[in-house]
Amino acid sequence: MLVVPGFIVHPSEAISCLEVDHFLEPCLDYLKNGGTVPKACCDGLEGLKDECQSKADRQTACNCAKGAAITLGIRQDLAESLPNRCGVLVTVPISPTVDCSTVNSLMYESYK
């Protein structure tokens, strides 16, 4: 069991925002400025997809990514292009405008 201020996280339970941040951190420069997508970013996106197998995980990760996109000033156009740039079919959108309650299928193909 890992204790985080305000949260108790059990490894067998849903994904946490800390985990989502870890997967997406290598993408931050690209998501803010564009340019070349680092391999570590694509690896993180693939890892995030692999970790989000349940509807609850996908919705939690979506809310985490949405909050980060708003807080960190992620560019919507770059977030939308990231899955194609990495060749990863995402299960969690990275968008400041997505309705995370609708993220329930294995593939989330539209941010609109």
Side-chain angles (χ1 to χ4, degrees):
M1 181 168 62
L2 175 66
V3 179
V4 180
F7 299 97
I8 297 177
V9 179
H10 300 277
S12 62
E13 292 186 2
I15 194 166
S16 70
C17 286
L18 186 62
E19 292 170 295
V20 173
D21 291 348
H22 174 75
F23 284 121
L24 297 179
E25 189 275 329
C27 304
L28 190 55
D29 187 55
Y30 170 78
L31 291 171
K32 292 174 80 174
N33 305 307
T36 303
V37 179
K39 181 181 181 323
C41 171
C42 294
D43 292 345
L45 195 62
E46 184 72 37
L48 179 61
K49 181 190 80 160
D50 292 345
E51 286 296 313
C52 293
Q53 295 299 309
S54 73
K55 177 181 177 179
D57 283 340
R58 288 186 293 277
Q59 289 180 337
T60 297
C62 176
N63 280 309
C64 296
K66 179 178 182 175
I70 293 167
T71 302
L72 299 172
I74 301 300
R75 286 183 36 195
Q76 180 76 27
D77 61 327
L78 297 174
E80 289 177 3
S81 71
L82 184 60
N84 287 336
R85 299 277 311 263
C86 287
V88 176
L89 296 174
V90 296
T91 54
V92 176
I94 304 167
S95 170
T97 61
V98 68
D99 177 358
C100 292
S101 69
T102 65
V103 178
N104 58 18
S105 65
L106 284 176
M107 299 308 299
Y108 191 84
E109 300 182 58
S110 173
Y111 295 102
K112 310 275 187 255

